[in-house]
Amino acid sequence: MRIDLNRAAQLLCDNDNILILSHQNPDGDTLGSALALTFALRKLKKTVSVYCTDGFPENFKFMYNGEKPCIPDTSEPYIVAVDVASPVLLGDKMSDYYDKINLCIDHHSSNTDYAEYTLLESDSAATAEIILKLIDFLGAGIDTQIATCLYTGISTDTGCFRYSNTTAQSHRFAARLIECGIDFSEINRQMFEVKSVSRIAVEQYVLNSVRYFHNKKCALIYITKDILHKTGSNENELESLSSVPYQIKGVKIGITLRERENGYKISVRTAKSINAAEICAQFGGGGHLRAAGCFINGGLEEVIQKISEAADKALSENEKLKKQKSL
Ligand SMILES: [Mn+2]
């Protein structure tokens, strides 16, 4: 059942033993939201545990500050999921909890309404924005630690206030959190600039092997298992790498290949006038107008040829259309 902020605050007030869950492969928003809510509820003298199936990653240390992921083994807690659009995102090991979520707080319009109660605000750029409002309703107050967690959630989900999901509210909340005395420049440095040695090594490989097609209007990068092995990096370190080819000036189709069992997982980003989902649909994939994905069976060169031909065709058709329009 969908509920509003007031009702969600009431439900939290009515329970004293609370477990807060983040989604697997945690990002700044799910962890920042879970930790901020944990710290705020403890200020109201509640017993609160916070858990994520993949633990708390090292790069978010400044948020959790010694807090450890924990599921209480005594009593039945009131279970709250934050930033979790679907129960499977809690992770395989959490399958016992899929139908036991009492309250879900989320901003994904794709939320499957799996929880008993759902507080959903899809116009919020981050769940952390909803948590901020909820903490206000609860009257718990926002200290520097809570502000650090909330700011991290908003900043990471908006790509440091650059993505189109960023709203005036995101900026207003950020301003308020900055007034709490957080070290926002260090947070953003940690979240957007600092990279591990192995990540830099992967980038080096990838940038050295960019391929261009169709008068450099299409750029393609690939990450093979061999590259991961050579650089000592893992899948988690590849985040945002797929935006690299589309960053190149003049490129209208950016393609990223990642090696999987028997083939390559492909992500396609496109300029406004080109349909990424249409390109991927030719290979049984899909997605959005400007960002889509698919899987192609085969070896590296074979897969590159197939996807680059599809891109080439899309670019040619687009040029034809443009010509017709200008005639
Ligand atoms: Mn989020």
Side-chain angles (χ1 to χ4, degrees):
M1 189 169 91
R2 295 285 175 96
I3 55 169
D4 62 7
L5 275 166
N6 191 16
R7 182 88 177 95
Q10 195 58 53
L11 288 165
L12 291 169
C13 277
D14 291 345
N15 287 280
D16 287 319
N17 191 1
I18 297 165
L19 169 63
I20 300 173
L21 301 176
S22 281
H23 64 68
Q24 63 186 359
N25 191 11
D27 56 21
D29 190 31
T30 194
L31 266 190
S33 295
L35 290 162
L37 188 58
T38 299
F39 300 143
L41 290 168
R42 283 196 192 138
K43 287 173 81 176
L44 300 172
K45 306 274 180 275
K46 308 269 180 203
T47 304
V48 190
S49 304
V50 52
Y51 189 80
C52 172
T53 189
D54 293 322
F56 297 165
E58 169 85 24
N59 56 326
F60 294 118
K61 212 171 176 179
F62 64 93
M63 284 203 293
Y64 56 84
N65 207 6
E67 180 76 30
K68 289 196 171 67
C70 163
I71 290 183
D73 45 21
T74 50
S75 73
E76 284 207 345
Y78 190 76
I79 306 172
V80 183
V82 289
D83 198 46
V84 183
S86 148
V88 296
L89 297 174
L90 292 169
D92 292 344
K93 285 182 227 148
M94 299 295 286
S95 57
D96 286 350
Y97 287 81
Y98 289 179
D99 58 353
K100 289 197 178 71
I101 308 301
N102 299 106
L103 172 62
C104 171
I105 304 165
D106 190 19
H107 69 130
H108 297 100
S109 50
S110 58
N111 191 289
T112 61
D113 279 299
Y114 59 92
E116 185 185 5
Y117 296 104
T118 303
L119 169 60
L120 190 109
E121 289 191 0
S122 53
D123 49 355
S124 284
T127 297
E129 292 184 16
I130 312 168
I131 300 292
L132 188 153
K133 291 190 211 173
L134 193 57
I135 293 174
D136 279 345
F137 256 88
L138 289 162
I142 293 175
D143 58 26
T144 315
Q145 189 59 33
I146 293 174
T148 296
C149 297
L150 293 176
Y151 182 89
T152 304
I154 300 171
S155 179
T156 50
D157 261 25
T158 57
C160 210
F161 306 91
R162 291 177 306 140
Y163 300 157
S164 58
N165 65 344
T166 312
T167 65
Q169 172 178 279
S170 314
H171 283 283
R172 272 196 296 270
F173 285 1
R176 208 182 129 191
L177 297 167
I178 286 170
E179 280 171 344
C180 294
I182 58 168
D183 194 350
F184 63 90
S185 65
E186 181 57 20
I187 294 173
N188 288 326
R189 197 181 81 85
Q190 288 296 336
M191 293 294 99
F192 299 101
E193 286 171 22
V194 174
K195 292 170 182 173
S196 65
V197 170
S198 49
R199 163 74 189 223
I200 293 287
V202 174
E203 281 186 17
Q204 204 174 356
Y205 252 95
V206 161
L207 293 177
N208 264 325
S209 56
V210 179
R211 299 227 196 147
Y212 293 100
F213 303 92
H214 205 103
N215 298 323
K216 294 202 165 152
K217 282 182 182 156
C218 172
L220 179 149
I221 62 169
Y222 54 88
I223 305 145
T224 60
K225 285 180 181 170
D226 186 50
I227 291 172
L228 288 187
H229 186 72
K230 275 187 185 146
T231 55
S233 50
N234 56 53
E235 280 287 324
N236 299 334
E237 287 178 314
L238 303 181
E239 211 192 320
S240 79
L241 214 54
S242 53
S243 64
V244 167
Y246 190 55
Q247 280 166 4
I248 303 166
K249 194 170 181 181
V251 165
K252 293 194 158 163
I253 302 181
I255 302 171
T256 302
L257 270 60
R258 286 191 199 175
E259 190 176 4
R260 290 281 183 272
E261 233 28 78
N262 308 319
Y264 285 81
K265 193 183 135 195
I266 295 169
S267 112
V268 176
R269 305 264 177 107
T270 56
K272 248 179 198 163
S273 52
I274 298 168
N275 191 333
E278 231 168 59
I279 294 173
C280 290
Q282 297 168 45
F283 305 100
H288 306 282
L289 271 176
R290 303 188 58 192
C294 61
F295 180 88
I296 301 182
N297 266 310
L300 181 64
E301 294 306 327
E302 183 189 347
V303 173
I304 289 179
Q305 198 188 337
K306 280 181 182 161
I307 191 70
S308 63
E309 270 174 16
D312 190 67
K313 213 175 86 198
L315 284 164
S316 297
E317 276 168 17
N318 185 252
E319 281 153 11
K320 232 195 267 165
L321 264 171
K322 268 196 182 153
K323 234 183 197 172
Q324 279 172 357
K325 267 188 195 165
S326 64
L327 282 175

